[in-house]
Structure formats: structure tokens, C-alpha cells
Amino acid sequence: MDTRVRCYDCGATDDLRDRKRCNCGEPHWFDTDTRDFDWPDEGMGIWRYVDVLPVNEPVGLSRVSGNTPLHRNRGLESADGPRIHLKLEGLNPTGSFKDRGSAVGISYAVADGTTWVGTVSHGNMALSVAAHAASVDLECAVLVAEETPRERLELIGQHDPHLFRAIGSYGDLYEETLNLDVDIEFVNSDTPLRVAGQKTVAYEICEAFAPGAPDAIVLPVSSGGNASGIWKALRELETAELLDSSAMPRLYLVQAARCDPIAQSYRAGSAAVTAVDGEETIAVSIANEDPPSGTRALTAVRETGGAVLSIEDDEIRAAMRQLAEEAGLSVEPSSALVLSAIEELTRSDTLGADDDVVGILTGSGYKEQTTVDTAVRDLPIDDLERVLSGLVGGETDP
Ligand SMILES: *Cc1c(COP(=O)(O)O)cnc(C)c1O
Ligand SMILES: [Zn+2]
């Protein structure tokens, strides 16, 4: 088991058990030496990359995550636009990429002899941690915000975690849980274990393109944890000489315009991300006013020559419809905006017909309340043949 963590910014090293944040304030990540890494011959899901993970024994549901399809859908492409490859992260066991981080977090906790794990989340991460903990009989504490809707709690509650509604400032809770003197391994959005697991998505993407690389990777961003993992993977693959420094994929991060602190700091040319007062958006999974790894994500964008985009809710709705109706893909709003961003990058000629772009569709739409009005008609069985033949024959209202 690895315990050495390092600050991406000032380079200071530390022990994971002592600190998840550097003294300089920035988040730590594992200090991984990839000089001897090569593409493996075999391996299951994310454990294919076990040589670069901080723990090497997958437990319970952890075995299932990863190896999601990279699906090229020509129906979404335009003549002057890029080749679009969609990474279908909704096919992970609880329906989002969060399972990659939970898999590493829970396996590490078991190897470390920890009996309690926890998370601060009211969405995909809570569901993912609760499911993984259940699969190995670990105790799990999930802290949700006061206003979390009942349906969400029921979804999470299926796995029987200890569910707490946190009364007070939910914003402070995240950092508080990382500093508690309690024996619970909190696997929050940007903690080293979670980032280590989530980097595997970029290992999979780069291996699929090897010995080449995609020109760009587009993904939604909230805490900045997933973007950090992907950037970490690119740096590690560069060290392993499996990715050419001149062919590094550019990272494009996407936020909902109604809550876009990282995009605002990017546009302002700031070195660090500052908190904003956001508005409510349909992209609930990425509405984070004060992202803990915002500055690290912004640095990733600058270092790879990418950008941060903001997408309006109406465009997000349109992208959801387009993915569902033209590609057969149901994703949540927080993933659909990836398609809007690819379209915007195509309109601005940032991406063109020579480019390969990977869009990471982070979460399934099948566990969400949809925003689509669904028309359903009653059809008496005696009328079956008449109505269906009218329909096939082109009648509008047979
Ligand atoms: C958590 C989440 C994100 C944002 O990831 P961060 O690591 O917090 O930046 C994006 N999409 C979905 C579906 C998520 O659940
Ligand atoms: Zn530091």
C-alpha cells in the first residue's frame, strides 16, 4: 500500500494518514513513480492498471468498475467537426465514474484495516460509496445536505448506510470531515484515493488510442477531482514515455453557466479559483460554488492548452434530448453538457475534421427524473392492428 502523497503545486511530500491537504492549502495526490510502467497484457477493469494504483487487492464490488466502452457515434458528428468518441461512464456499477474512486478507496480501507468509510455528497458519490461499502460489509457514514430530496435519500438508502442530514453550513463540511480525529476513511471528491481511482479513465482512453493520443478530452467539472485524476494520468503516461509531450491531449472542462467558478476564474486569467454565489441549475451533480480542487483543475487546463466552458441550462436540455433521440444515450444533465461544449469548440474552429475528441459522459440518465414531457396514448387491444398500421403508414394520429 502506498502512503506517500505529494502536492502538485509546491512539490512537498507527506503521509496520507497525516494529511490530505498540503500546508500550502492545495490538495495532495499520491506520489506515483511510472518510469517503468508499460501497457499491461491483462487485468480486470481499473485493476488492469494495478501497478500505478496505491492498493493492489480489489475487494467486493470494487472488482467491477472500469473498462467502460469508448463509443464513436457518427450520428452526432458533422462534416467539418471532429470525430467524437464518447466514454460511457454510466456503465459503471452504480451508474457513474465515481465508482472508480470508490473502488480504490474501499479496497484501500479494507487493506488498511479501517472498518468505517464515509463521504460528503448527496448524489452519485454517496450512492457509489454506500454500494461499495455494502459489498464488503464496511460501515459507511453518508453526510448529505439538509435540503436533499427524499427520492435521492431512498436511492442511497438501498445500500443501508448510516445516513445523516448535516445541519449547518454544508460548504464547510467537506473540509471538516478531512480533519476529524475519528477513525473513518472519508473518500470525498478530490481526496488522494479517489483521484487515484479516477485517473484510470484516462489510462483507458490513452491506451485505446496508443501509440497515438486523442487531440482533446472534454469533461464536466465540479470539485475538480476527476479533472485532477485525468491530468495526473496524462503526466504519469508522459513519464512512462507512453504519451508524447508534443501530443498531450488538451483538457476542456465544462460547467453549467449558472454555477461556474472555475470558468469565471479561467476567463479572468486568475491563477487561483475563487468561490462564487451560484444559481440553481439542472446540472445538479456539478453545481459546486467553492470547488476544493478548482485551482488544480485550472492548472491542468493551462498546462495542457485547453479551456473552461460555461453552458446555459437550455443548451444542456437540448444536448440531453439530442443524445437520447439521436444516439440512444440517456445521460444526466451534468454529462450532457459535454456535447454542447464539443459543438461550441467546433463552431469556434478549436476542433475540426482532423481531430479526435473524447467526451466523458460521466453519469447515466436512467436514475434521474427526466425533464422530457413523455407522450403516452391509451390503445385498446381491439384496435391494435388498425392503429399500428396507420402509424407505420405515416398517419399522424391514427
Ligand atoms: C461528481 C460528478 C461530476 C463532477 O466531478 P468532480 O470530480 O467533482 O469534478 C460530473 N458528472 C457527474 C455525473 C458526477 O457525478
Ligand atoms: Zn503544496
Side-chain angles (χ1 to χ4, degrees), residues 77-91:
E77 296 176 2
S78 59
D80 53 354
R83 292 177 288 276
I84 301 176
H85 311 263
L86 299 172
K87 188 70 171 156
L88 306 183
E89 289 292 281
L91 289 172

Side-chain angles (χ1 to χ4, degrees), residues 116 126-127 130-131 133-134 137-142 153-163:
W116 277 83
L127 185 64
D137 215 16
L138 282 185
E139 297 294 336
C140 175
V142 173
L153 297 180
E154 282 168 12
L155 212 55
I156 300 163
Q158 292 178 92
H159 302 296
D160 200 26
H162 302 266
L163 257 177

Side-chain angles (χ1 to χ4, degrees), residues 228-312:
S228 301
I230 290 167
W231 185 39
K232 186 177 200 294
L234 298 181
R235 293 162 50 124
E236 289 176 357
L237 290 170
E238 191 183 7
T239 304
E241 296 183 356
L242 294 171
L243 199 58
D244 202 85
S245 22
S246 62
M248 270 284 204
R250 302 188 298 273
L251 292 185
Y252 292 96
L253 307 184
V254 199
Q255 299 211 281
R258 298 171 72 87
C259 185
D260 63 348
I262 304 175
Q264 288 189 33
S265 299
Y266 170 78
R267 288 192 292 267
S270 319
V273 172
T274 40
V276 299
D277 283 325
E279 293 168 88
E280 243 179 69
T281 158
I282 58 164
V284 286
S285 294
I286 54 168
N288 190 330
E289 298 178 328
D290 188 10
S293 272
T295 301
R296 188 163 61 175
L298 186 60
T299 311
V301 163
R302 296 235 168 87
E303 295 274 317
T304 61
V308 191
L309 294 90
S310 305
I311 307 291
E312 298 292 344

Side-chain angles (χ1 to χ4, degrees), residues 96-98 124 189 198 220-227 285-286 332 334-335 362-363:
S96 81
F97 75 90
K98 297 287 198 309
N124 290 325
S189 326
Q198 285 165 190
V221 60
S222 175
S223 69
N226 201 29
S285 294
I286 54 168
E332 62 171 279
S334 300
S335 301
T362 45

